[in-house]
Amino acid sequence: MKIGIKTNLKRDINALASKLFCQKLREVGIEYKICDNAKEYFESQVIAEEKEVFEWCDIVVAFGGDGTMLNIVHSLPCELPILGINMGKIGFLTEIDENQIADAISALQSGNYTVEQRSMLKATVDKQHFFALNEVVVSRQDPCHISVFDVYIDGILADTLRSDGVLVSTPTGSTAYSLSCNGPVLSPTVKALIVNGICPHSLHSCPIVVDDNMRINISTKTDIMRVIVDGTIVAKSQNDGIDITIEKDKKQALFVRLNNQNFYAKLRAKLNYWGD
């Protein structure tokens, strides 16, 4: 087994957690390489460029929070399992906390883990393709103004929304932005997508859950729009309005899950979190 390590130094201060992890990997004889953003903290022989690390390893271990996990998913040249070690606050996409490092290495050695497949989205705008693990958002460039969006499911008009925007979420993203918009929480194994209006100006608007093999089209004829993929603005309409197609992509994200972990236990622990 070969381990590739990416650490977020804003979370893993002075790379202390990843250093401990590497020490324990050496003790049990597991090979590893570390992405070069942390080169000042490690010996040069284990440092490589991120692309080289990801092409070399069998499993990626990420030190950080959900943002770190999303960045890695978007950076991977191929489908690789990712084990997330939480160095942030909530860390819903990560699997363990830093005090469980020894247990994680033991599980990897013994094969006492599973690889969970997570659906991803492909958004097409003006023949450009963008990919998301959590969600795709279409909203007006000027905030706090309502626009009118037509939402089509497999070519059939499903709803016309007067709202700040429209959000299409995967089951993974159901615990992210979609949850803040009163969307339902979906188990990662559910084959569905959530279509949700953002701050709808309506007394009856509610999220729509559709089969993940369905194609979703969102169009509006007024206002300059922007497309946001997993929190990053990726496109803006040059003229008034936008027409975007969103569908499940062939590519999947793969997460390492330790066999003693449980989605619903994590749901209670993470989403009942109250802190600074």
Side-chain angles (χ1 to χ4, degrees):
M1 178 181 293
K2 297 181 290 188
I3 303 292
I5 299 168
K6 177 64 181 287
T7 184
N8 180 348
L9 294 172
K10 292 182 179 178
R11 298 291 187 184
D12 183 13
I13 305 301
N14 296 323
L16 293 178
S18 46
K19 282 180 180 177
L20 175 62
F21 185 73
C22 291
Q23 176 188 327
K24 292 185 178 298
L25 289 178
R26 288 194 299 271
E27 290 173 359
V28 297
I30 295 178
E31 291 184 85
Y32 63 90
K33 285 186 179 180
I34 302 162
C35 294
D36 57 1
N37 69 304
K39 60 184 177 182
E40 63 184 296
Y41 299 102
F42 296 91
E43 303 84 359
S44 59
Q45 62 266 27
V46 297
I47 294 293
E49 293 183 358
E50 182 179 288
K51 184 174 184 292
E52 181 183 339
V53 171
F54 291 161
E55 289 176 345
W56 171 84
C57 67
D58 302 313
I59 291 177
V60 177
V61 174
F63 288 82
D66 286 348
T68 306
M69 297 288 285
L70 288 172
N71 288 337
I72 291 175
V73 167
H74 287 285
S75 300
L76 288 178
C78 59
E79 293 183 1
L80 274 176
I82 308 169
L83 171 64
I85 299 178
N86 185 30
M87 305 294 295
K89 294 182 179 178
I90 296 180
F92 204 91
L93 296 180
T94 56
E95 180 68 0
I96 60 170
D97 294 325
E98 59 179 308
N99 59 3
Q100 299 172 289
I101 283 176
D103 294 336
I105 292 174
S106 176
L108 293 176
Q109 271 194 300
S110 64
N112 188 30
Y113 65 91
T114 57
V115 176
E116 186 175 82
Q117 299 176 336
R118 297 289 186 99
S119 296
M120 295 187 67
L121 297 174
K122 179 174 74 172
T124 304
V125 187
D126 295 330
K127 298 182 180 180
Q128 290 183 291
H129 303 304
F130 306 98
F131 302 92
L133 174 62
N134 275 349
E135 73 274 316
V136 176
V137 174
V138 183
S139 68
R140 182 168 168 161
Q141 185 170 323
D142 298 326
C144 303
H145 289 84
I146 288 174
S147 296
V148 180
F149 301 89
D150 289 327
V151 179
Y152 294 84
I153 309 295
D154 275 354
I156 299 172
L157 180 65
D159 203 355
T160 297
L161 297 172
R162 293 177 55 85
S163 62
D164 286 357
V166 181
L167 181 155
V168 178
S169 169
T170 64
T172 301
S174 71
T175 55
Y177 191 6
S178 178
L179 183 66
S180 301
C181 297
N182 287 326
V185 173
L186 301 184
S187 166
T189 57
V190 173
K191 307 299 183 183
L193 302 175
I194 304 167
V195 184
N196 207 349
I198 302 172
C199 298
H201 192 251
S202 170
L203 292 176
H204 70 271
S205 181
C206 62
I208 302 172
V209 178
V210 303
D211 187 287
D212 67 0
N213 288 315
M214 292 181 169
R215 178 175 295 181
I216 300 162
N217 292 88
I218 301 169
S219 65
T220 180
K221 304 302 181 186
T222 60
D223 307 321
I224 298 177
M225 292 286 145
R226 60 185 181 177
V227 178
I228 304 170
V229 169
D230 285 347
T232 300
I233 299 172
V234 295
K236 295 180 181 178
S237 61
Q238 299 300 315
N239 301 306
D240 286 350
I242 199 169
D243 194 337
I244 180 172
T245 300
I246 302 169
E247 57 194 326
K248 184 176 70 172
D249 189 44
K250 293 179 181 178
K251 180 181 177 181
Q252 295 179 314
L254 305 179
F255 292 156
V256 173
R257 296 306 186 205
L258 305 185
N259 290 345
N260 61 349
Q261 300 292 317
N262 178 276
F263 172 75
Y264 299 102
K266 179 178 288 188
L267 192 68
R268 292 195 307 272
K270 300 293 185 179
L271 296 186
N272 285 330
Y273 171 87
W274 293 93
D276 296 331

